[in-house]
Amino acid sequence: MEMGRWKGLNGFFSSVFLFCVVLDVQLDGLLGASHEEIEHHLEMGKKLLAAGQLAEALSHYHSAVEGDPKNYLTYYKRAAVLLAMGKSKTALPDLSKAIELKPDFLAARLQRGNILLKQGNTQEAKKDFEEVLRGNPHHEEAWLQLQHIQELDQLILEARNAYNRKDCTAAITIMERVIEFSPWDPEARELRAECYISIGELRKAIQDLLPTTKLRNDNRAAFLQLSRLYYILGEHEDSLSQVRECLKLDQDDKECFSHYKQVKKLSKQLESAEQYIAEERYEDAVEKYHSVMKTEASVQFYSIKAKERICHCLSKSKKAKEAIDVCSEAHQIDPNNIFVLRDRAEAFILNEEYEKAVEDYQEAHSFNAENHEIKEGLDRAQKLLKQSRKRDYYKILGVHRNANKQEIIKAYRKLAQQWHPDNFQSQDKKKEAEKKFIDISSAKEVLTDPEMRQKFDAGEDPLDPESQQGAGGGQHGWPFEFNPFGSGNFHFKFHYN
């Protein structure tokens, strides 16, 4: 038994010894191969960087750093690639590591100082430039950057003083120069954005705030501010996008979540309203836009938008008087809105107020002479005005422009019976009745024929030879023969030359 135990122990020690020998051989091989690989990665990184293949070069420098984490040059070279890729924040730790490994590495200090200056960190940048000058007292770039730091510190002080005394115009002018020196300084951009907001230049504020979401880690405040600015401008989709970015960083952020709920609710209402309009469900769209005004009563954009679209819906649904009232209210708030003018013009046409329709279309045309729809509308309104001064078939029958076929026929029968020439004895009265009867019959002919009615509604009289010249219209004239009632005792035949 004792003998078996010794044999077992002997076998175990033999195995351990063999493992160590093999491991030692493998480590020697690995270390030797690693040095060659590092040189290969550095050489490939250099070639690819020169060729502008930055992503591939970076991959090789990653491998070189992993293979030799004590070599300051590999960190510096990787930082150079990252800077070429515009990733200054990522490059900064590599430059700091290179300086840690070699404190007198002036190129790395100069590069880090330049990045820190662009980030607005003047105190740390100053230390790097001073270290460069200790190593090389005649270094021109380091001297120049120290002068810039001195100027920058003074500019920032002046800008803050101007902002504190509410002189935002002066602060913005000063900050232009500050941001030239420090384009990656989020504080500088945030201060200028606040100034732009205070003077109502919201889009310029947005342009300053957008980069700060990347310049600062976890910049929820910027995402929320951007969302609010887009919301005020009426760009609810962009507002929703920005507040979602805030919630990605922290889904429990109370301010962002509260704003998100408001924007989401309004966005759904606006989208639903527009969908109803696309489906020609104008009453539903009007109701939804009234909900929009209740949801957001404090931001003027949405009230104006809602009234503009309600005006459009009422005009489209042939509710002329209501449309004129709402459109006039919208026009008073936003007098340059060509769509409000267009929709009110259409309501005026429905109400047979052609002169006012022409005026609205002319005003819209003066704001946008290139809009094809406005040009067509103006042309049609002018034709209708001219037409109204001649024969108006709707007026002849005493019906509205939006009357249906049944209403037209009913009006026609009543008038035809009233003005039938057989009802009159004297020649004068009979001639007057014949003329009226012809007009009544012409009105019925045009307004009960969809194609002719469409032409008439576009300002063209399909029975007027002048209107038909060059239009390829059919021949509608006298003499003609008709039975005004289709059956019954009234049979009347006219023959006119």
Side-chain angles (χ1 to χ4, degrees), residues 404-453:
N404 59 38
K405 188 173 182 179
Q406 188 178 0
E407 290 169 331
I408 290 164
I409 291 171
K410 184 180 177 182
Y412 160 73
R413 284 179 174 167
K414 183 180 176 182
L415 290 168
Q417 189 173 15
Q418 180 186 341
W419 289 100
H420 199 291
D422 286 352
N423 294 337
F424 302 92
Q425 299 303 316
S426 74
Q427 286 301 312
D428 289 342
K429 288 286 184 184
K430 195 179 282 286
K431 281 185 179 179
E432 182 187 350
E434 287 173 358
K435 185 178 183 304
K436 290 238 181 200
F437 199 74
I438 289 169
D439 284 344
I440 292 162
S441 299
S442 298
K444 181 250 185 186
E445 182 186 5
V446 170
L447 298 183
T448 55
D449 182 295
E451 189 178 341
M452 284 200 283
R453 184 175 180 178

Side-chain angles (χ1 to χ4, degrees), residues 134-146:
R134 281 194 189 94
N136 181 0
H138 303 293
H139 199 291
E140 288 184 14
E141 187 178 348
W143 276 115
L144 182 63
Q145 294 295 58
L146 281 175

